[in-house]
Amino acid sequence: MSAAIAEPTDRYRVTPTVLQALRSPRVLTREVLAGLVTALALIPEAIAFSVVAGVDPRVGLFSSFVLAVMIAFTGGRPAMITAAAGAVALVIAPVAREHGPDYLIVTIALAGVLQVLFAVLGVARLLRFIPRSVMVGFVNALAILIFLSQLPQLIDVPWAVYVLVAAGLGILLVWPRITRAIPAPLVAIVLLTAAVVVFGMSVPNVADQGELPRSLPELLVPHVPLTWETLQIVAPFALAAALVGLLESLMTAKLVDDLTDTHSRKTREAWGLGVANVVSAFFGGTGGCAMIGQTMINVKTSGGRTRISTLLAGVWVLVLVVALGDIVGLIPMAALVAVMIVVSAMTFDWHSIRPSTLRRLPLSETAVMLVTVIATVWTHNLAVGVILGVLAAMVLFARRVAHFTTVTRTVDGGTARYRVDGELFFASSNDLTTQFEYASDPAHVVIDLSRTHVWDASTVAALDAIVTKYAQRGIAVELAGMTDAAAAFHGRLTGELGSA
């Protein structure tokens, strides 16, 4: 085993394999503790998301256990945490509320099947079309949402809560300077829980969030008619849950890839998430996707790097709530709030809002980031923010590229030559017809397309319109310099698009 694994010099970059981790007591300990800390952060979130989905807290907890364990084996991104998620809970809430838990099971199972289908169709590869500015906006919006989600725990609470949160933040900032062998969040949670018990403080704790389960999850078979009517009820919600969950998981996987300088298999992540959701459904789960906050706790705060930490996050959830539920219930929410505030600060890309960065970046890049952030925070839906951010990036890119297209005219004897520079597509070709001097040109016109490319039908239609305008004046037009691909595309469509 390499020294880099045994004595990592940079805990954010070293990525051991599962076998290497099992052979190294130091790394294995780190993975076990990372899973424990992540599980402690998962429990109140899973309970809260159960409330959002309109189901018993046990459902969200069992769903988090099943999803984390399954994704450890089926997922493509080591150390990423998948569990019951708020975005999915919001989407499927009407099903549980209006049709009951049996229909919820069918909805989540169908969402999982759709995610597997999306993986087979290669939808995960579309991630490469998401620009960096959208990714930065996604990360910053996520950090803001993590912070905002903690505010309810700081409103109308005893003054002791603020003292505990401040103490927790102090521990989280100071402890890593002492040692990284034990994750700072675990130290903060243990010390603050001990302080609450010893001094008898009356502050909100995990037990206040909902009743913890006392038994193991059971396999459930939904009692719903397998009819077209049932499909009509669940399909829209299943499709929405599949898309939201898949997008958040793929974006989170890319974020962890960048953080750890490693590559993960996005297609495997897509079908792995689908399989995990199908299994979760038949244990009565709410379904879910990657949890960015808990993933950051596992990867960035606690140093988790392998599937071991993901697996144990799920196992610890079950152990803590079933076997140690009374102890877990004593954990003050203030301790978890402190952890999540630090996670929020660590997640935010502070470099992206520095004045020096903003001065260097094109205004369109900053605009796309802001659209992504505002849309995400406004809707509390990361999928909506990313989609609107990508649309804004497309529009601004098309507008910028369209302005780079120029037409230069020269006259040599009886021939007028027009040279087109830049890319020709719908945004730039719409004005192409206005840049020719039809009335004053000689009997022969050459349009030189050697420094451009014909990308779409709009451009072919524009070229046809130009040729038609000249033909009406008895002027012959020669289209010269097209690449073989552009010539083939133009030849297939020219004259077939109707009157310009």
Side-chain angles (χ1 to χ4, degrees):
M1 181 180 59
S2 66
I5 298 301
E7 298 290 341
T9 57
D10 186 348
R11 69 194 190 101
Y12 296 109
R13 305 299 180 189
V14 176
T15 306
T17 65
V18 170
L19 185 59
Q20 288 173 326
L22 291 174
R23 290 176 175 175
S24 169
R26 183 186 183 90
V27 176
L28 182 59
T29 300
R30 185 182 68 194
E31 294 292 310
V32 172
L33 293 178
L36 174 59
V37 173
T38 304
L40 290 171
L42 273 175
I43 291 171
E45 295 257 347
I47 295 173
F49 295 152
S50 297
V51 175
V52 171
V55 297
D56 190 278
R58 296 178 181 84
V59 174
L61 290 166
F62 287 154
S63 184
S64 293
F65 158 68
V66 174
L67 286 168
V69 170
M70 287 300 302
I71 208 69
F73 294 99
T74 64
R77 172 67 258 176
M80 191 168 77
I81 303 300
T82 294
V88 176
L90 285 171
V91 171
I92 53 94
V95 179
R97 183 174 60 250
E98 298 173 13
H99 302 283
D102 287 332
Y103 279 84
L104 179 63
I105 293 174
V106 176
T107 301
I108 297 302
L110 180 57
V113 171
L114 290 174
Q115 286 168 338
V116 173
L117 180 61
F118 290 152
V120 173
L121 295 176
V123 172
R125 290 193 291 271
L126 296 178
L127 191 67
R128 67 180 182 271
F129 293 107
I130 297 178
R132 179 187 177 279
S133 52
V134 174
M135 190 67 191
V136 173
F138 167 81
V139 170
N140 290 345
L142 206 46
I144 294 171
L145 288 178
I146 291 172
F147 178 78
L148 292 178
S149 67
Q150 307 310 307
L151 294 184
Q153 300 294 338
L154 299 175
I155 298 174
D156 294 329
V157 293
W159 64 267
V161 170
Y162 303 109
V163 175
L164 290 172
V165 170
L169 292 173
I171 294 170
L172 291 166
L173 294 175
V174 173
W175 185 260
R177 301 180 181 181
I178 301 173
T179 179
R180 294 186 183 275
I182 302 176
L186 180 59
V187 175
I189 291 170
V190 170
L191 291 181
L192 294 184
T193 303
V196 168
V197 173
V198 171
F199 294 105
M201 298 181 186
S202 179
V203 295
N205 55 31
V206 172
D208 296 329
Q209 307 303 304
E211 185 180 355
L212 300 177
R214 300 291 181 179
S215 61
L216 297 176
E218 298 178 354
L219 188 65
L220 300 175
V221 178
H223 298 287
V224 296
L226 300 178
T227 62
W228 177 250
E229 182 181 358
T230 298
L231 182 62
Q232 287 181 308
I233 291 172
V234 303
F237 298 101
L239 178 60
L243 291 174
V244 169
L246 187 58
L247 181 58
E248 290 204 25
S249 290
L250 294 179
M251 292 289 284
T252 304
K254 188 176 187 304
L255 177 61
V256 179
D257 288 352
D258 294 340
L259 181 68
T260 59
D261 284 343
T262 58
H263 175 71
S264 61
R265 290 176 286 177
K266 305 302 185 297
T267 297
R268 175 173 172 177
E269 191 65 46
W271 71 255
L273 177 65
V275 171
N277 271 317
V278 170
V279 175
S280 169
F282 287 101
F283 279 95
T286 58
C289 61
M291 299 282 288
I292 183 66
Q294 281 67 26
T295 297
M296 290 297 99
I297 290 175
N298 187 47
V299 175
K300 199 167 186 178
T301 308
S302 304
R305 285 294 177 273
T306 73
R307 299 177 187 277
I308 295 175
S309 60
T310 304
L311 172 68
L312 291 181
V315 173
W316 276 121
V317 165
L318 189 65
V319 171
L320 290 171
V321 299
V322 174
L324 303 173
D326 293 337
I327 296 175
V328 172
L330 296 175
I331 296 175
M333 290 303 297
L336 299 175
V337 168
V339 172
M340 297 308 290
I341 289 176
V342 171
V343 168
S344 172
M346 294 176 69
T347 301
F348 197 91
D349 186 351
W350 297 101
H351 180 270
S352 67
I353 60 172
R354 289 178 183 171
S356 59
T357 302
L358 296 175
R359 283 195 300 270
R360 291 188 181 93
L361 279 177
L363 185 60
S364 60
E365 297 285 329
T366 303
V368 169
M369 181 190 73
L370 289 176
V371 167
T372 306
V373 171
I374 293 171
T376 301
V377 174
W378 186 270
T379 63
H380 282 240
N381 191 319
L382 291 165
V384 171
V386 170
I387 291 171
L388 291 180
V390 170
L391 291 175
M394 291 168 60
V395 171
L396 291 173
F397 174 77
R399 181 175 180 272
R400 187 168 67 248
V401 173
H403 290 166
F404 291 155
T405 302
T406 60
V407 178
T408 305
R409 177 179 182 264
T410 58
V411 179
D412 183 13
T415 300
R417 178 176 292 272
Y418 290 88
R419 190 185 71 189
V420 183
D421 292 89
E423 300 303 309
L424 290 177
F425 64 111
F426 62 89
S428 58
S429 62
N430 284 337
D431 295 329
L432 190 63
T433 57
T434 66
Q435 300 186 52
F436 292 81
E437 299 181 17
Y438 304 99
S440 58
D441 277 340
H444 184 229
V445 172
V446 176
I447 302 177
D448 181 2
L449 300 172
S450 61
R451 302 182 65 171
T452 185
H453 190 83
V454 178
W455 285 108
D456 59 7
S458 296
T459 303
V460 175
L463 292 173
D464 284 355
I466 294 168
V467 172
T468 300
K469 287 179 182 292
Y470 276 115
Q472 290 170 349
R473 291 172 169 79
I475 299 174
V477 176
E478 176 187 350
L479 302 179
M482 279 194 285
T483 64
D484 292 341
F489 180 77
H490 177 268
R492 189 167 65 251
L493 293 181
T494 184
E496 303 294 332
L497 299 174
S499 58

